[in-house]
Amino acid sequence: TQLLEQSPQFLSIQEGENLTVYCNSSSVFSSLQWYRQEPGEGPVLLVTVVTGGEVKKLKRLTFQFGDARKDSSLHITAAQTGDTGLYLCAGVSGANNLFFGTGTRLTVIP
Amino acid sequence: GAGVSQSPSNKVTEKGKDVELRCDPISGHTALYWYRQSLGQGLEFLIYFQGNSAPDKSGLPSDRFSAERTGGSVSTLTIQRTQQEDSAVYLCASTLGGAEETQYFGPGTRLLVL
């Protein structure tokens, strides 16, 4: 099993603060996806990073893929209440295998 | 077009009973995945279907779990002789191709085994 550990597991911050979520593994992945899941719904893809060292920005969200393609981070600037949810990273290995991380539950307090 | 749908949205059953969970993927998507999610945590892979190939069943936790996909479209996940530890949200996702493609998830079926 290729384990993806996310940290922190839970995070509660005030609106306007910055935060970083980490996704770490000892395995190498060909690409890595980040999803957000809201209560009662399935996860929704935010971004896919493919190249080691790649940085992608999605408005206030910045995603980085580690140089060795074993880890990734998600940084949110000036968090808003709408950012509240469960953030999941998922590593792709081979043609058919997608391994999900343990998840980070973010709560943004108004 | 319509997204992935799952039914029922909620299921309460008694220990020892069998349950069937249904997934309707997005039309044209060749790949279909089933996952289990406990207590709002990460997703546990259960089974994967790709076109007409033999399914990857490596994630099924026991022989009480089985799944089929009829006509390359609708899939049914069956849990026989349910146990309390089977209580979880069961999520289905479909993709155009392999794991590198975007996974489109259904809303899940919340299963509670009493």
Side-chain angles (χ1 to χ4, degrees):
Chain A
T1 300
Q2 293 166 284
L3 187 63
L4 277 162
E5 292 281 354
Q6 287 185 237
S7 61
Q9 186 177 1
F10 298 95
L11 185 57
S12 182
I13 62 170
Q14 294 287 333
E15 195 170 27
E17 291 183 346
N18 302 334
L19 67 114
T20 301
V21 175
Y22 299 93
C23 172
N24 295 299
S25 176
S26 58
S27 301
V28 176
F29 296 102
S30 55
S31 64
L32 194 136
Q33 303 170 1
W34 281 93
Y35 290 81
R36 180 170 67 208
Q37 183 179 21
E38 299 188 15
E41 300 180 6
V44 175
L45 180 71
L46 296 173
V47 78
T48 300
V49 285
V50 179
T51 307
E54 180 177 5
V55 176
K56 278 193 174 179
K57 291 192 175 183
L58 185 66
K59 297 183 180 178
R60 293 175 296 100
L61 279 60
T62 301
F63 304 85
Q64 183 163 9
F65 201 11
D67 291 342
R69 305 205 313 278
K70 294 183 180 180
D71 54 81
S72 181
S73 64
L74 158 60
H75 182 77
I76 302 179
T77 303
Q80 300 177 357
T81 54
D83 296 328
T84 293
L86 179 68
Y87 288 82
L88 295 159
C89 64
V92 178
S93 177
N96 305 324
N97 297 312
L98 184 66
F99 299 92
F100 277 86
T102 49
T104 294
R105 182 162 297 282
L106 172 65
T107 302
V108 181
I109 303 167
Chain B
V4 177
S5 61
Q6 292 186 245
S7 60
S9 54
N10 293 282
K11 177 71 176 179
V12 180
T13 190
E14 293 179 347
K15 178 182 173 180
K17 295 289 181 76
D18 297 350
V19 295
E20 284 190 353
L21 312 179
R22 177 186 169 105
C23 172
D24 283 88
I26 293 173
S27 178
H29 281 193
T30 59
L32 187 149
Y33 294 75
W34 281 99
Y35 297 92
R36 180 168 68 177
Q37 184 175 36
S38 300
L39 298 174
Q41 298 304 309
L43 276 61
E44 175 190 5
F45 166 76
L46 296 177
I47 189 169
Y48 161 72
F49 296 90
Q50 172 61 282
N52 296 320
S53 302
D56 177 354
K57 304 179 181 180
S58 60
L60 294 178
S62 77
D63 58 8
R64 296 186 296 105
F65 287 72
S66 63
E68 62 177 20
R69 188 179 184 192
T70 54
S73 181
V74 172
S75 178
T76 302
L77 176 69
T78 301
I79 308 174
Q80 296 178 310
R81 306 180 302 282
T82 52
Q83 303 293 314
Q84 290 182 333
E85 59 264 29
D86 298 335
S87 297
V89 175
Y90 290 83
L91 289 160
C92 170
S94 70
T95 80
L96 279 170
E100 74 282 0
E101 301 283 345
T102 300
Q103 301 226 337
Y104 294 88
F105 284 85
T109 293
R110 283 146 197 80
L111 174 66
L112 178 61
V113 182
L114 301 175

